[in-house]
Amino acid sequence: MKRIYERETDALFSASFTRNPAFARAFLTLVDGRPENAIVGVSHQTPHKGAGHRGSIDLELTRADGSLLLIENKIDAGYSVTRSGDPQPDRYRASIAALKSRGVQAASVLLAPQIYLGGTRHGDAFDHQVSYEALRASLVGSDLTLLEAAILQAATPYDPIPNSSSAAFFADYEAFARENFPELVIKHNPNGNGVRPTESRTIYFDVPRTLRTWATLPRPRMSLQCRDSGAPSASVKIMLGGWGSRVGSIPV
C-alpha cells in the first residue's frame, strides 16, 4: 500500500474547503454547528502565534465573521516537539490564547482518523476534534480514495516494503563514506535487517559525531537528499533551526 503523507491530506482539505461547499458545510457543522459562518480564506503552514512558540499550523481558516480556526491535521504521526521541548498541543493552546488576547476569536481543531482521535492522550488540548470518517459523505472520486487510504493507514502499523535496489544503494554509500570520508557518521537504519523501502531517498547524519557543535548555538540537522522531484540534482542540507532568533547577537 502506498504511504499517504499528511501534506497530501493537507492539500486535499485545503482544496475542499474552498471548492467543495458540501465539505466545508460538513466540517463547520461538526466544529460548532454554524455552517453559515463560511470559510473565506485558507492559509498553509502559518507560524504559531504564541510568544516563544515555534513551529507551524497546518491549516488556518478565516471565517466570514473574522474568526479563525487553527487545524492540526494528523494521520498516524506522533506530535512533534521543538528542540526547546515545546510540544505541539501546547503550541496550539498558546496560539489560541495569544489571538484571543488581541481580540481575535479563534479555536483549534484536531483533524484525524477516528482511531487516532480515540487513541491520543492530548485531544483535550484542542477545542474541537473532527474525524476523517465524518467527512466521507462529502467527498467523491480521487478525493474520497485518498481519504479512505489515509484512514486505512492510520489503522495499519507501518511496515516498510523492502526495495532491494534502495537497500543496496544505501549499503554502497555507507561503505563509500566509511572508506573515503570517515568523518561523516551516518545515522543507523531505523528498519531492521537493512530494509529500505522505495521511498527512502535521504541519508541522515549523526550531527554530534560529524559536525563541531557549540554549547551556545542551536544544534543543526544534516542530511543528503539523494532524490528530490522538485530539484535538478541531489543536495546536502544543513538545517540551522532556531538560528533566526540569534541574528542580532551572533556575528556571521
PDB file of all heavy atoms in Angstrom, residues 175-201:
ATOM      1  N   ALA A 175      29.421   2.280   2.780  1.00  0.00           N
ATOM      2  CA  ALA A 175      30.767   1.724   2.608  1.00  0.00           C
ATOM      3  C   ALA A 175      31.706   2.761   1.981  1.00  0.00           C
ATOM      4  O   ALA A 175      32.863   2.909   2.391  1.00  0.00           O
ATOM      5  CB  ALA A 175      30.699   0.467   1.746  1.00  0.00           C
ATOM      6  N   PHE A 176      31.210   3.484   0.989  1.00  0.00           N
ATOM      7  CA  PHE A 176      31.998   4.519   0.323  1.00  0.00           C
ATOM      8  C   PHE A 176      32.388   5.623   1.317  1.00  0.00           C
ATOM      9  O   PHE A 176      33.538   6.076   1.351  1.00  0.00           O
ATOM     10  CB  PHE A 176      31.189   5.111  -0.830  1.00  0.00           C
ATOM     11  CG  PHE A 176      31.867   6.239  -1.546  1.00  0.00           C
ATOM     12  CD1 PHE A 176      32.816   5.993  -2.535  1.00  0.00           C
ATOM     13  CD2 PHE A 176      31.566   7.553  -1.236  1.00  0.00           C
ATOM     14  CE1 PHE A 176      33.441   7.039  -3.196  1.00  0.00           C
ATOM     15  CE2 PHE A 176      32.188   8.611  -1.889  1.00  0.00           C
ATOM     16  CZ  PHE A 176      33.129   8.345  -2.868  1.00  0.00           C
ATOM     17  N   ALA A 177      31.419   6.047   2.141  1.00  0.00           N
ATOM     18  CA  ALA A 177      31.680   7.111   3.110  1.00  0.00           C
ATOM     19  C   ALA A 177      32.695   6.656   4.163  1.00  0.00           C
ATOM     20  O   ALA A 177      33.599   7.416   4.540  1.00  0.00           O
ATOM     21  CB  ALA A 177      30.376   7.544   3.777  1.00  0.00           C
ATOM     22  N   ARG A 178      32.552   5.413   4.631  1.00  0.00           N
ATOM     23  CA  ARG A 178      33.492   4.906   5.637  1.00  0.00           C
ATOM     24  C   ARG A 178      34.927   4.904   5.107  1.00  0.00           C
ATOM     25  O   ARG A 178      35.877   5.227   5.822  1.00  0.00           O
ATOM     26  CB  ARG A 178      33.104   3.490   6.059  1.00  0.00           C
ATOM     27  CG  ARG A 178      32.012   3.427   7.107  1.00  0.00           C
ATOM     28  CD  ARG A 178      31.941   2.043   7.741  1.00  0.00           C
ATOM     29  NE  ARG A 178      31.772   0.976   6.757  1.00  0.00           N
ATOM     30  CZ  ARG A 178      30.594   0.550   6.312  1.00  0.00           C
ATOM     31  NH1 ARG A 178      29.482   1.101   6.776  1.00  0.00           N
ATOM     32  NH2 ARG A 178      30.523  -0.418   5.430  1.00  0.00           N
ATOM     33  N   GLU A 179      35.078   4.556   3.833  1.00  0.00           N
ATOM     34  CA  GLU A 179      36.417   4.442   3.254  1.00  0.00           C
ATOM     35  C   GLU A 179      37.014   5.796   2.899  1.00  0.00           C
ATOM     36  O   GLU A 179      38.209   6.031   3.111  1.00  0.00           O
ATOM     37  CB  GLU A 179      36.371   3.571   2.001  1.00  0.00           C
ATOM     38  CG  GLU A 179      37.720   3.394   1.330  1.00  0.00           C
ATOM     39  CD  GLU A 179      37.658   2.485   0.112  1.00  0.00           C
ATOM     40  OE1 GLU A 179      36.590   1.872  -0.117  1.00  0.00           O
ATOM     41  OE2 GLU A 179      38.665   2.398  -0.616  1.00  0.00           O
ATOM     42  N   ASN A 180      36.191   6.689   2.362  1.00  0.00           N
ATOM     43  CA  ASN A 180      36.714   7.940   1.833  1.00  0.00           C
ATOM     44  C   ASN A 180      36.467   9.163   2.726  1.00  0.00           C
ATOM     45  O   ASN A 180      37.218  10.139   2.660  1.00  0.00           O
ATOM     46  CB  ASN A 180      36.105   8.202   0.456  1.00  0.00           C
ATOM     47  CG  ASN A 180      36.484   7.139  -0.561  1.00  0.00           C
ATOM     48  OD1 ASN A 180      37.579   7.184  -1.119  1.00  0.00           O
ATOM     49  ND2 ASN A 180      35.579   6.198  -0.797  1.00  0.00           N
ATOM     50  N   PHE A 181      35.423   9.121   3.523  1.00  0.00           N
ATOM     51  CA  PHE A 181      35.078  10.267   4.375  1.00  0.00           C
ATOM     52  C   PHE A 181      34.687   9.771   5.765  1.00  0.00           C
ATOM     53  O   PHE A 181      33.532   9.866   6.178  1.00  0.00           O
ATOM     54  CB  PHE A 181      33.927  11.072   3.759  1.00  0.00           C
ATOM     55  CG  PHE A 181      34.215  11.566   2.375  1.00  0.00           C
ATOM     56  CD1 PHE A 181      33.749  10.859   1.272  1.00  0.00           C
ATOM     57  CD2 PHE A 181      34.964  12.716   2.166  1.00  0.00           C
ATOM     58  CE1 PHE A 181      34.030  11.299  -0.022  1.00  0.00           C
ATOM     59  CE2 PHE A 181      35.240  13.159   0.881  1.00  0.00           C
ATOM     60  CZ  PHE A 181      34.772  12.450  -0.218  1.00  0.00           C
ATOM     61  N   PRO A 182      35.640   9.211   6.513  1.00  0.00           N
ATOM     62  CA  PRO A 182      35.309   8.614   7.800  1.00  0.00           C
ATOM     63  C   PRO A 182      34.756   9.613   8.811  1.00  0.00           C
ATOM     64  O   PRO A 182      34.149   9.206   9.803  1.00  0.00           O
ATOM     65  CB  PRO A 182      36.645   8.024   8.268  1.00  0.00           C
ATOM     66  CG  PRO A 182      37.683   8.778   7.498  1.00  0.00           C
ATOM     67  CD  PRO A 182      37.066   9.086   6.180  1.00  0.00           C
ATOM     68  N   GLU A 183      34.957  10.911   8.556  1.00  0.00           N
ATOM     69  CA  GLU A 183      34.429  11.905   9.492  1.00  0.00           C
ATOM     70  C   GLU A 183      32.906  12.066   9.367  1.00  0.00           C
ATOM     71  O   GLU A 183      32.270  12.673  10.226  1.00  0.00           O
ATOM     72  CB  GLU A 183      35.113  13.265   9.276  1.00  0.00           C
ATOM     73  CG  GLU A 183      34.798  13.956   7.954  1.00  0.00           C
ATOM     74  CD  GLU A 183      35.684  13.500   6.804  1.00  0.00           C
ATOM     75  OE1 GLU A 183      36.320  12.431   6.915  1.00  0.00           O
ATOM     76  OE2 GLU A 183      35.737  14.219   5.792  1.00  0.00           O
ATOM     77  N   LEU A 184      32.334  11.540   8.296  1.00  0.00           N
ATOM     78  CA  LEU A 184      30.878  11.562   8.136  1.00  0.00           C
ATOM     79  C   LEU A 184      30.295  10.345   8.848  1.00  0.00           C
ATOM     80  O   LEU A 184      30.557   9.211   8.469  1.00  0.00           O
ATOM     81  CB  LEU A 184      30.496  11.512   6.654  1.00  0.00           C
ATOM     82  CG  LEU A 184      30.812  12.744   5.805  1.00  0.00           C
ATOM     83  CD1 LEU A 184      30.436  12.479   4.349  1.00  0.00           C
ATOM     84  CD2 LEU A 184      30.069  13.969   6.320  1.00  0.00           C
ATOM     85  N   VAL A 185      29.492  10.591   9.869  1.00  0.00           N
ATOM     86  CA  VAL A 185      28.882   9.498  10.631  1.00  0.00           C
ATOM     87  C   VAL A 185      27.397   9.435  10.277  1.00  0.00           C
ATOM     88  O   VAL A 185      26.644  10.380  10.532  1.00  0.00           O
ATOM     89  CB  VAL A 185      29.052   9.699  12.149  1.00  0.00           C
ATOM     90  CG1 VAL A 185      28.452   8.517  12.907  1.00  0.00           C
ATOM     91  CG2 VAL A 185      30.524   9.866  12.488  1.00  0.00           C
ATOM     92  N   ILE A 186      27.013   8.327   9.665  1.00  0.00           N
ATOM     93  CA  ILE A 186      25.637   8.169   9.193  1.00  0.00           C
ATOM     94  C   ILE A 186      24.782   7.548  10.294  1.00  0.00           C
ATOM     95  O   ILE A 186      25.213   6.641  11.000  1.00  0.00           O
ATOM     96  CB  ILE A 186      25.618   7.278   7.935  1.00  0.00           C
ATOM     97  CG1 ILE A 186      26.438   7.946   6.822  1.00  0.00           C
ATOM     98  CG2 ILE A 186      24.192   7.007   7.472  1.00  0.00           C
ATOM     99  CD1 ILE A 186      26.684   7.049   5.626  1.00  0.00           C
ATOM    100  N   LYS A 187      23.567   8.066  10.432  1.00  0.00           N
ATOM    101  CA  LYS A 187      22.658   7.516  11.441  1.00  0.00           C
ATOM    102  C   LYS A 187      22.281   6.085  11.083  1.00  0.00           C
ATOM    103  O   LYS A 187      22.248   5.696   9.916  1.00  0.00           O
ATOM    104  CB  LYS A 187      21.384   8.370  11.541  1.00  0.00           C
ATOM    105  CG  LYS A 187      21.564   9.662  12.313  1.00  0.00           C
ATOM    106  CD  LYS A 187      20.223  10.322  12.577  1.00  0.00           C
ATOM    107  CE  LYS A 187      20.381  11.510  13.510  1.00  0.00           C
ATOM    108  NZ  LYS A 187      19.080  12.143  13.816  1.00  0.00           N
ATOM    109  N   HIS A 188      21.961   5.287  12.104  1.00  0.00           N
ATOM    110  CA  HIS A 188      21.581   3.908  11.891  1.00  0.00           C
ATOM    111  C   HIS A 188      20.274   3.813  11.110  1.00  0.00           C
ATOM    112  O   HIS A 188      19.381   4.665  11.232  1.00  0.00           O
ATOM    113  CB  HIS A 188      21.419   3.187  13.225  1.00  0.00           C
ATOM    114  CG  HIS A 188      22.711   3.021  13.970  1.00  0.00           C
ATOM    115  ND1 HIS A 188      23.789   2.324  13.459  1.00  0.00           N
ATOM    116  CD2 HIS A 188      23.105   3.470  15.193  1.00  0.00           C
ATOM    117  CE1 HIS A 188      24.786   2.350  14.328  1.00  0.00           C
ATOM    118  NE2 HIS A 188      24.388   3.044  15.390  1.00  0.00           N
ATOM    119  N   ASN A 189      20.160   2.760  10.327  1.00  0.00           N
ATOM    120  CA  ASN A 189      18.921   2.470   9.600  1.00  0.00           C
ATOM    121  C   ASN A 189      17.810   2.185  10.618  1.00  0.00           C
ATOM    122  O   ASN A 189      17.957   1.303  11.463  1.00  0.00           O
ATOM    123  CB  ASN A 189      19.156   1.245   8.703  1.00  0.00           C
ATOM    124  CG  ASN A 189      17.961   0.916   7.847  1.00  0.00           C
ATOM    125  OD1 ASN A 189      16.883   1.478   7.992  1.00  0.00           O
ATOM    126  ND2 ASN A 189      18.147  -0.034   6.937  1.00  0.00           N
ATOM    127  N   PRO A 190      16.687   2.922  10.556  1.00  0.00           N
ATOM    128  CA  PRO A 190      15.618   2.691  11.531  1.00  0.00           C
ATOM    129  C   PRO A 190      14.869   1.375  11.307  1.00  0.00           C
ATOM    130  O   PRO A 190      14.106   0.936  12.172  1.00  0.00           O
ATOM    131  CB  PRO A 190      14.685   3.884  11.321  1.00  0.00           C
ATOM    132  CG  PRO A 190      14.913   4.285   9.895  1.00  0.00           C
ATOM    133  CD  PRO A 190      16.374   4.026   9.645  1.00  0.00           C
ATOM    134  N   ASN A 191      15.082   0.730  10.150  1.00  0.00           N
ATOM    135  CA  ASN A 191      14.422  -0.534   9.846  1.00  0.00           C
ATOM    136  C   ASN A 191      15.391  -1.698  10.071  1.00  0.00           C
ATOM    137  O   ASN A 191      16.576  -1.590   9.792  1.00  0.00           O
ATOM    138  CB  ASN A 191      13.942  -0.556   8.381  1.00  0.00           C
ATOM    139  CG  ASN A 191      13.081   0.643   8.050  1.00  0.00           C
ATOM    140  OD1 ASN A 191      12.101   0.909   8.721  1.00  0.00           O
ATOM    141  ND2 ASN A 191      13.459   1.380   7.018  1.00  0.00           N
ATOM    142  N   GLY A 192      14.871  -2.801  10.557  1.00  0.00           N
ATOM    143  CA  GLY A 192      15.707  -3.967  10.822  1.00  0.00           C
ATOM    144  C   GLY A 192      16.162  -4.668   9.559  1.00  0.00           C
ATOM    145  O   GLY A 192      15.583  -4.508   8.481  1.00  0.00           O
ATOM    146  N   ASN A 193      17.233  -5.430   9.675  1.00  0.00           N
ATOM    147  CA  ASN A 193      17.752  -6.276   8.595  1.00  0.00           C
ATOM    148  C   ASN A 193      18.144  -5.501   7.342  1.00  0.00           C
ATOM    149  O   ASN A 193      18.114  -6.041   6.236  1.00  0.00           O
ATOM    150  CB  ASN A 193      16.737  -7.361   8.226  1.00  0.00           C
ATOM    151  CG  ASN A 193      16.436  -8.279   9.396  1.00  0.00           C
ATOM    152  OD1 ASN A 193      17.326  -8.647  10.149  1.00  0.00           O
ATOM    153  ND2 ASN A 193      15.155  -8.636   9.552  1.00  0.00           N
ATOM    154  N   GLY A 194      18.502  -4.238   7.531  1.00  0.00           N
ATOM    155  CA  GLY A 194      18.955  -3.444   6.395  1.00  0.00           C
ATOM    156  C   GLY A 194      17.868  -3.072   5.402  1.00  0.00           C
ATOM    157  O   GLY A 194      18.158  -2.632   4.285  1.00  0.00           O
ATOM    158  N   VAL A 195      16.603  -3.231   5.773  1.00  0.00           N
ATOM    159  CA  VAL A 195      15.494  -2.948   4.857  1.00  0.00           C
ATOM    160  C   VAL A 195      15.424  -1.451   4.550  1.00  0.00           C
ATOM    161  O   VAL A 195      15.530  -0.613   5.446  1.00  0.00           O
ATOM    162  CB  VAL A 195      14.157  -3.427   5.464  1.00  0.00           C
ATOM    163  CG1 VAL A 195      12.977  -2.867   4.688  1.00  0.00           C
ATOM    164  CG2 VAL A 195      14.105  -4.948   5.479  1.00  0.00           C
ATOM    165  N   ARG A 196      15.249  -1.145   3.283  1.00  0.00           N
ATOM    166  CA  ARG A 196      14.993   0.224   2.833  1.00  0.00           C
ATOM    167  C   ARG A 196      13.814   0.180   1.871  1.00  0.00           C
ATOM    168  O   ARG A 196      13.851  -0.540   0.870  1.00  0.00           O
ATOM    169  CB  ARG A 196      16.209   0.807   2.112  1.00  0.00           C
ATOM    170  CG  ARG A 196      17.417   1.043   2.997  1.00  0.00           C
ATOM    171  CD  ARG A 196      17.268   2.276   3.848  1.00  0.00           C
ATOM    172  NE  ARG A 196      18.457   2.515   4.661  1.00  0.00           N
ATOM    173  CZ  ARG A 196      18.614   3.580   5.454  1.00  0.00           C
ATOM    174  NH1 ARG A 196      17.651   4.488   5.537  1.00  0.00           N
ATOM    175  NH2 ARG A 196      19.718   3.718   6.165  1.00  0.00           N
ATOM    176  N   PRO A 197      12.759   0.957   2.133  1.00  0.00           N
ATOM    177  CA  PRO A 197      11.627   0.987   1.210  1.00  0.00           C
ATOM    178  C   PRO A 197      11.928   1.865  -0.003  1.00  0.00           C
ATOM    179  O   PRO A 197      12.930   2.591  -0.028  1.00  0.00           O
ATOM    180  CB  PRO A 197      10.495   1.581   2.052  1.00  0.00           C
ATOM    181  CG  PRO A 197      11.197   2.429   3.057  1.00  0.00           C
ATOM    182  CD  PRO A 197      12.505   1.738   3.349  1.00  0.00           C
ATOM    183  N   THR A 198      11.063   1.803  -0.983  1.00  0.00           N
ATOM    184  CA  THR A 198      11.241   2.586  -2.210  1.00  0.00           C
ATOM    185  C   THR A 198      11.357   4.072  -1.909  1.00  0.00           C
ATOM    186  O   THR A 198      12.106   4.803  -2.557  1.00  0.00           O
ATOM    187  CB  THR A 198      10.060   2.336  -3.167  1.00  0.00           C
ATOM    188  OG1 THR A 198       9.982   0.934  -3.440  1.00  0.00           O
ATOM    189  CG2 THR A 198      10.236   3.106  -4.458  1.00  0.00           C
ATOM    190  N   GLU A 199      10.618   4.544  -0.897  1.00  0.00           N
ATOM    191  CA  GLU A 199      10.576   5.974  -0.599  1.00  0.00           C
ATOM    192  C   GLU A 199      11.821   6.476   0.118  1.00  0.00           C
ATOM    193  O   GLU A 199      11.949   7.672   0.384  1.00  0.00           O
ATOM    194  CB  GLU A 199       9.337   6.297   0.243  1.00  0.00           C
ATOM    195  CG  GLU A 199       8.010   6.064  -0.460  1.00  0.00           C
ATOM    196  CD  GLU A 199       7.579   4.599  -0.415  1.00  0.00           C
ATOM    197  OE1 GLU A 199       8.261   3.798   0.270  1.00  0.00           O
ATOM    198  OE2 GLU A 199       6.573   4.261  -1.071  1.00  0.00           O
ATOM    199  N   SER A 200      12.756   5.583   0.494  1.00  0.00           N
ATOM    200  CA  SER A 200      13.976   6.023   1.180  1.00  0.00           C
ATOM    201  C   SER A 200      14.877   6.756   0.197  1.00  0.00           C
ATOM    202  O   SER A 200      15.446   6.152  -0.711  1.00  0.00           O
ATOM    203  CB  SER A 200      14.723   4.817   1.769  1.00  0.00           C
ATOM    204  OG  SER A 200      14.069   4.322   2.904  1.00  0.00           O
ATOM    205  N   ARG A 201      15.001   8.041   0.389  1.00  0.00           N
ATOM    206  CA  ARG A 201      15.789   8.862  -0.527  1.00  0.00           C
ATOM    207  C   ARG A 201      16.742   9.798   0.207  1.00  0.00           C
ATOM    208  O   ARG A 201      17.450  10.570  -0.423  1.00  0.00           O
ATOM    209  CB  ARG A 201      14.859   9.700  -1.412  1.00  0.00           C
ATOM    210  CG  ARG A 201      13.909   8.864  -2.258  1.00  0.00           C
ATOM    211  CD  ARG A 201      12.878   9.718  -2.950  1.00  0.00           C
ATOM    212  NE  ARG A 201      11.971   8.903  -3.738  1.00  0.00           N
ATOM    213  CZ  ARG A 201      10.879   9.367  -4.335  1.00  0.00           C
ATOM    214  NH1 ARG A 201      10.564  10.641  -4.226  1.00  0.00           N
ATOM    215  NH2 ARG A 201      10.112   8.559  -5.045  1.00  0.00           N
TER     216      ARG A 201
END
